[in-house]
Amino acid sequence: MRLPAAPRTVASFPPLYILSSVHFLTPSGTSIMTDNPSKERTIIVMGPTGVGKTTFINCLAGRDGPGVGHGIESCTAKVELIRVEQAIHGRNITFVDTPGLDDTYKADIEILADIAAFLVKVYKKNVKIDTILYLHRISDIRMSGSLLKNLKIFVSLCGIQSMPNVTIVTTMWHRVDKGEGEIREEELKRKMWFDMIEKGCQVKRFDGTYKSALCIIEPGQPETRTSGPSTSTDPSAIQPTRGPLLSSEMVDKRKKLKATAAGNELNKEIKNLIKKQRAASRKLRELSKQSADDTEKRILEQELQETDQKIKKASEQHAVLKRNVLDWLFGPKPETSEVPRVGQT
C-alpha cells in the first residue's frame, strides 16, 4: 500500500480545526464526530510533559509554529481537539492533545480532572475512541519517579480492556545512538511495558517523519519490529472502544474522581510525595538549628521554605481530590462558539 503524500503546508492540506474541549461542532454547527462514523476517527495522544505529543500531531497535520512545544516548559495547557479533514484515505481524524502530569503551570489533579471531564463528555455522546497513544522519550536513560507516575496513572485510567487500542510511541530517537535506543526499548518492553503488551498494547517508533507518524496511526501500514515480547493481536481487527475505564467508572458507576482507579493511583502518589517532603523538611530544620554559619543557615532556611511550599501545594491537591467533581463534570454546558479554521481567513 502506497503512503499518502506528506502535507507540506497548511494551505496545501485539507482544512484543520482547533476545537474546544467542550464542544464538538464545526462552524456550520454540525457534529464533527458523529455525523458519519465510518469517515471519522478519534485518536487520544497522552504522555508526560515534553515527550512530543503536539509535535507528533503537527507532523501529521502538516503545520509548525509557536504552538509546537520545543522548550523545557509544557506547551499544551489543556485538552485540545485538532481535527484534520480527509487526513487518510478520505477519513477525518480528530486528535485529542492532552497535557502531561508535572505540567509547568497546572497541578496534577487539575490535569486529571480536565482529562476526566473530556472523557466523560465523549463517553456520554457515545463517541468511539479508535486509538490511545502514549508517548515516551527513548532518550530518557532511566524511568524516573515522574515518568513512572505518569505511566501508572495512564494504565489505571485506560484499564486492561483498552490495551488492544493502546499504542506506546517512543520518541526523540534523534537524541540517542540507534543501537543504544534499541537496547533501552527492549528493556522497557521486558519490564515496564510487559503487562501492557501482554494485554494487547503495541509499541511503535516515531522518528520525526510523516511516514513514521502515519505508520503509527494507520493499522494497514507496515512497520519494522524488533525482538522482545509482542502480541498476536491483528491491528486491522481491533475495534474502536467506547472509552477508557475512567469514563465508565464516572458515568456508569457514578464514582467520584478520587474513587476511580486513576484517582486512587494519583492519591497514592500525592500521599507519598507529602511523606517524602515532610521528612525532608524535618531534616532541613535540624540542619538549620545545628548550623553556626549565617550563610549556610540562610541557604537551609530558603530550601526549607521551598520544601514547605511543595508540601502545601501537594496537600491542596490531596484536598481537591477528595471533593465531589461530578456536579462540575455533568453541569450545564457553556454557550457554543464558532470554531476557527487554521490557515483560513
Side-chain angles (χ1 to χ4, degrees):
M1 183 181 296
R2 292 189 62 183
L3 296 173
R8 298 300 180 186
T9 64
V10 173
S12 64
F13 201 70
L16 180 78
Y17 295 101
I18 302 298
L19 308 166
S20 101
S21 61
V22 177
H23 306 109
F24 310 104
L25 302 177
T26 65
S28 62
T30 57
S31 170
I32 68 167
M33 291 196 239
T34 56
D35 286 346
N36 192 342
S38 64
K39 290 188 176 181
E40 302 286 345
R41 290 185 65 192
T42 303
I43 298 175
I44 300 179
V45 186
M46 303 183 71
T49 296
V51 294
K53 297 185 292 292
T54 305
T55 301
F56 173 80
I57 295 172
N58 285 333
C59 179
L60 284 164
R63 65 185 182 124
D64 198 359
V68 184
H70 297 304
I72 60 174
E73 294 188 345
S74 56
C75 174
T76 303
K78 61 181 179 180
V79 177
E80 183 180 60
L81 277 65
I82 302 168
R83 190 195 192 209
V84 184
E85 292 189 338
Q86 300 178 6
I88 297 177
H89 308 306
R91 297 187 72 186
N92 305 322
I93 297 181
T94 297
F95 291 100
V96 183
D97 194 2
T98 64
L101 300 182
D102 296 316
D103 183 82
T104 311
Y105 304 108
K106 297 182 73 174
D108 289 348
I109 180 58
E110 291 182 75
I111 295 167
L112 181 59
D114 285 346
I115 295 173
F118 168 78
L119 292 175
V120 166
K121 287 179 184 295
V122 296
Y123 188 84
K124 293 182 73 178
K125 288 177 177 289
N126 201 32
V127 174
K128 299 298 190 292
I129 307 299
D130 291 82
T131 308
I132 306 172
L133 304 179
Y134 183 83
L135 274 59
H136 175 87
R137 288 183 299 260
I138 199 64
S139 57
D140 287 324
I141 298 175
R142 63 185 181 85
M143 184 70 81
S144 66
S146 173
L147 294 177
L148 190 57
K149 175 184 68 177
N150 271 272
L151 182 62
K152 285 181 177 180
I153 293 175
F154 172 77
V155 172
S156 57
L157 181 152
C158 290
I160 295 300
Q161 76 276 11
S162 295
M163 284 301 122
N165 297 85
V166 171
T167 298
I168 297 173
V169 179
T170 52
T171 64
M172 309 294 177
W173 281 90
H174 63 285
R175 294 185 179 180
V176 297
D177 173 77
K178 184 179 179 181
E180 180 183 344
E182 289 177 346
I183 292 173
R184 198 172 295 165
E185 183 184 55
E186 291 306 312
E187 183 178 4
L188 288 166
K189 285 181 179 180
R190 290 194 306 270
K191 297 179 180 179
M192 297 298 179
W193 302 337
F194 183 84
D195 289 342
M196 298 172 67
I197 295 172
E198 283 289 292
K199 298 301 181 181
C201 172
Q202 300 181 67
V203 178
K204 296 185 178 182
R205 300 174 187 174
F206 174 55
D207 61 12
T209 65
Y210 173 75
K211 180 179 178 180
S212 69
L214 184 66
C215 288
I216 289 166
I217 67 169
E218 182 68 349
Q221 297 295 345
E223 189 216 14
T224 302
R225 292 188 174 275
T226 55
S227 59
S230 61
T231 173
S232 59
T233 304
D234 179 6
S236 63
I238 295 173
Q239 298 299 315
T241 176
R242 190 180 172 195
L245 175 63
L246 180 66
S247 307
S248 59
E249 286 182 306
M250 298 194 74
V251 177
D252 299 334
K253 299 181 180 180
R254 302 291 293 180
K255 287 186 177 182
K256 297 179 181 179
L257 182 57
K258 70 169 185 177
T260 64
N264 185 53
E265 189 63 46
L266 179 57
N267 185 48
K268 289 192 294 184
E269 293 292 335
I270 293 174
K271 289 171 72 174
N272 288 336
L273 175 61
I274 293 174
K275 183 179 179 180
K276 291 178 181 179
Q277 294 293 352
R278 283 177 175 167
S281 179
R282 288 193 295 270
K283 184 65 175 178
L284 287 169
R285 289 181 194 279
E286 292 174 7
L287 292 173
S288 180
K289 288 179 181 179
Q290 297 171 5
S291 178
D293 183 277
D294 290 340
T295 301
E296 183 183 46
K297 199 175 187 71
R298 282 197 299 271
I299 294 174
L300 289 170
E301 288 176 351
Q302 182 178 352
E303 290 182 5
L304 179 60
Q305 289 178 1
E306 292 174 355
T307 301
D308 287 344
Q309 187 63 29
K310 290 178 182 178
I311 294 173
K312 180 182 177 182
K313 288 182 178 179
S315 298
E316 289 172 351
Q317 287 195 63
H318 193 241
V320 169
L321 193 54
K322 291 181 178 180
R323 297 175 191 167
N324 187 353
V325 296
L326 288 178
D327 291 338
W328 167 59
L329 291 175
F330 300 127
K333 301 175 183 177
E335 293 183 5
T336 304
S337 57
E338 279 198 351
V339 180
R341 290 191 185 189
V342 172
Q344 303 289 328
T345 54

